[in-house]
Amino acid sequence: MWRLGLVFVDISLHRRGPDVLPASQFLLGLVLVVYFLVGAATLPANEAPLVAFALLVADRVLYLGAAWAALTAIAKPRRFTQTAIALVGADVFLNLVSLPLLLWDDRTHAPLEQVTLPRLLIAIVYLWSIDVGGFIVARAMSRPYIVGLSVVVVYVLLSLALRDAILPTVS
């Protein structure tokens, strides 16, 4: 299990691509379970837990759906399972990186509009997650990094717009 975790760290550092992972439905299920467990630990305390968890699940379904659509559009759907494992596993790693920052931010009791060091670092990890997603999608699509990054940025913008349209107070 430790070696698998290190693979996700390497993917997050652009050292390896999703092609190093097995195309295993079991492994995809396992990383999804871990993702939701870690995600539950990082849910904002000021949101209703059920609503926040539903948003977490919906976000993952949409993200993986966007990856599947991108791979299907270029006739490479067989790469989906490895890509999904890489996307979810890298997000688990980055969520674990964010966890102490979220706890630190919670301890500051700073107003939401105030910029603090933990919030700045959380924003950097968020941008890193977009970068990693772009890297993974680009490698899976066998396209330049900018193409994968564009796919992920479009997804992120649509996801944020959809979230604000459905639940404008949960942001």
Side-chain angles (χ1 to χ4, degrees), residues 114-164:
Q114 183 178 351
V115 176
T116 62
L117 181 57
R119 289 179 186 162
L120 179 62
L121 294 173
I122 290 165
I124 289 169
V125 173
Y126 184 71
L127 292 174
W128 184 13
S129 73
I130 293 171
D131 162 71
V132 171
F135 168 74
I136 292 167
V137 171
R139 291 284 292 262
M141 294 174 70
S142 299
R143 299 290 193 269
Y145 169 75
I146 192 69
V147 173
L149 185 63
S150 297
V151 168
V152 173
V153 167
V154 166
Y155 161 74
V156 167
L157 293 174
L158 289 173
S159 173
L160 291 173
L162 183 61
R163 181 179 177 160
D164 284 346

Side-chain angles (χ1 to χ4, degrees), residues 3-158:
R3 282 186 179 173
L4 180 61
L6 291 177
V7 169
F8 295 129
V9 172
D10 281 349
I11 289 170
S12 297
L13 296 173
H14 296 218
R15 293 182 192 151
R16 298 187 196 187
D19 55 307
V20 301
L21 295 166
S24 164
Q25 294 292 325
F26 174 78
L27 182 56
L28 177 57
L30 181 64
V31 295
L32 281 168
V33 167
V34 173
Y35 173 82
F36 290 124
L37 290 173
V38 172
T42 61
L43 291 176
N46 61 342
E47 292 182 25
L50 200 53
V51 172
F53 192 75
L55 286 172
L56 185 70
V57 171
D59 179 66
R60 201 52 15 186
V61 168
L62 291 173
Y63 194 30
L64 296 180
W68 179 83
L71 290 169
T72 301
I74 62 162
K76 295 188 182 195
R78 68 186 179 283
R79 295 185 180 181
F80 172 74
T81 303
Q82 290 172 299
T83 304
I85 294 167
L87 289 168
V88 175
D91 278 349
V92 167
F93 165 67
L94 294 170
N95 283 342
L96 288 171
V97 169
S98 293
L99 192 55
L101 300 173
L102 292 166
L103 294 171
W104 181 17
D105 181 54
D106 189 49
R107 299 280 171 142
T108 66
H109 302 291
L112 287 176
E113 57 278 347
Q114 183 178 351
V115 176
T116 62
L117 181 57
R119 289 179 186 162
L120 179 62
L121 294 173
I122 290 165
I124 289 169
V125 173
Y126 184 71
L127 292 174
W128 184 13
S129 73
I130 293 171
D131 162 71
V132 171
F135 168 74
I136 292 167
V137 171
R139 291 284 292 262
M141 294 174 70
S142 299
R143 299 290 193 269
Y145 169 75
I146 192 69
V147 173
L149 185 63
S150 297
V151 168
V152 173
V153 167
V154 166
Y155 161 74
V156 167
L157 293 174
L158 289 173

